Amino acid sequence: LITDVNQSVSSVLFETLTPINGKVIYRFNDSVHGWQIVASDGTAQGTGVVPINTIGDSGPSDLVSLGTKALFSAVNNQNDRQLYVSDGTVAGTTVLLDINSSGNDNVGSLGLINGLVYFAADDGVNGRELWVTDGTSGGTRMVADINPSGGSEPYGFTLSNGKIYFTANDGTRGRELYVTNGTANGTVFLGDLT
């Protein structure tokens, strides 16, 4: 036992241990505060709960390791699901970029492919669309507005034969298969499967 991250409850659930830089971050649920993120450098002093949502369940999900960082989505005190980046320490775990400064970023469906993380997010203008990041705020951008009348809800990012496949809804054909090379022009509908 490195440290007891929650001394008030006898048992907790741990999930998704994600290694980064000789450290780990992981999800845990103590049945009192709900799901939270813990960062650890392997010492008692360097292990603690990351205060993303201090009033309830932060619901962290989609933890992926990207070089010396980990990325994940979580809900803050304002009920805004944002994209977080962590170096494996409590102090080094922060919002990567506030994609929707006037509302809920609604970040999810993170998929690590070829050193980049593809995900869905809502910027408050285009709906929930396809985004990509290299783990820096400057390297985070919307790839394509697949559904110009609302969000396309992309998910299921998969690499096969050098191409990135996923499903999305363009608002006309329903949920269908797409491929992208990480650019708007290179994001293509593959044909009606139904």
Side-chain angles (χ1 to χ4, degrees):
L1 177 67
I2 295 172
T3 189
D4 189 353
V5 292
N6 191 343
Q7 299 174 5
S8 63
V9 177
S10 62
S11 68
V12 296
L13 298 172
F14 293 88
E15 287 186 1
T16 322
L17 285 149
T18 305
I20 42 171
N21 244 7
K23 305 170 187 116
V24 295
I25 65 168
Y26 56 91
R27 293 170 17 110
F28 93 107
N29 186 332
D30 65 7
S31 74
V32 173
H33 302 98
W35 288 100
Q36 303 295 335
I37 284 286
V38 172
S40 178
D41 64 5
T43 68
Q45 306 87 335
T47 302
V49 177
V50 177
I52 292 169
N53 188 331
T54 58
I55 59 174
D57 190 329
S58 67
S61 64
D62 298 318
L63 279 78
V64 295
S65 182
L66 179 63
T68 60
K69 306 171 187 176
L71 277 71
F72 61 94
S73 72
V75 177
N76 63 20
N77 287 358
Q78 291 77 41
N79 205 30
D80 183 5
R81 180 165 287 282
Q82 294 185 302
L83 181 63
Y84 286 81
V85 62
S86 177
D87 65 0
T89 66
V90 173
T93 303
T94 61
V95 172
L96 178 64
L97 177 68
D98 188 2
I99 292 169
N100 183 348
S101 59
S102 63
N104 187 352
D105 296 11
N106 202 8
V107 171
S109 302
L110 279 69
L112 176 65
I113 298 174
N114 292 335
L116 298 171
V117 176
Y118 290 83
F119 62 98
D122 184 346
D123 64 2
V125 175
N126 298 294
R128 198 161 187 241
E129 290 292 349
L130 175 63
W131 285 69
V132 67
T133 185
D134 62 3
T136 66
S137 59
T140 303
R141 61 180 172 78
M142 187 171 76
V143 174
D145 185 4
I146 295 167
N147 183 347
S149 62
S152 68
E153 301 291 331
Y155 74 89
F157 303 105
T158 303
L159 178 67
S160 179
N161 201 25
K163 297 179 182 178
I164 302 162
Y165 296 88
F166 64 98
T167 65
N169 183 339
D170 68 0
T172 303
R173 297 176 271 241
R175 182 159 297 281
E176 297 288 351
L177 188 62
Y178 285 78
V179 64
T180 188
N181 64 3
T183 67
N185 288 339
T187 302
V188 181
F189 168 63
L190 289 180
D192 198 344
L193 303 177
T194 57

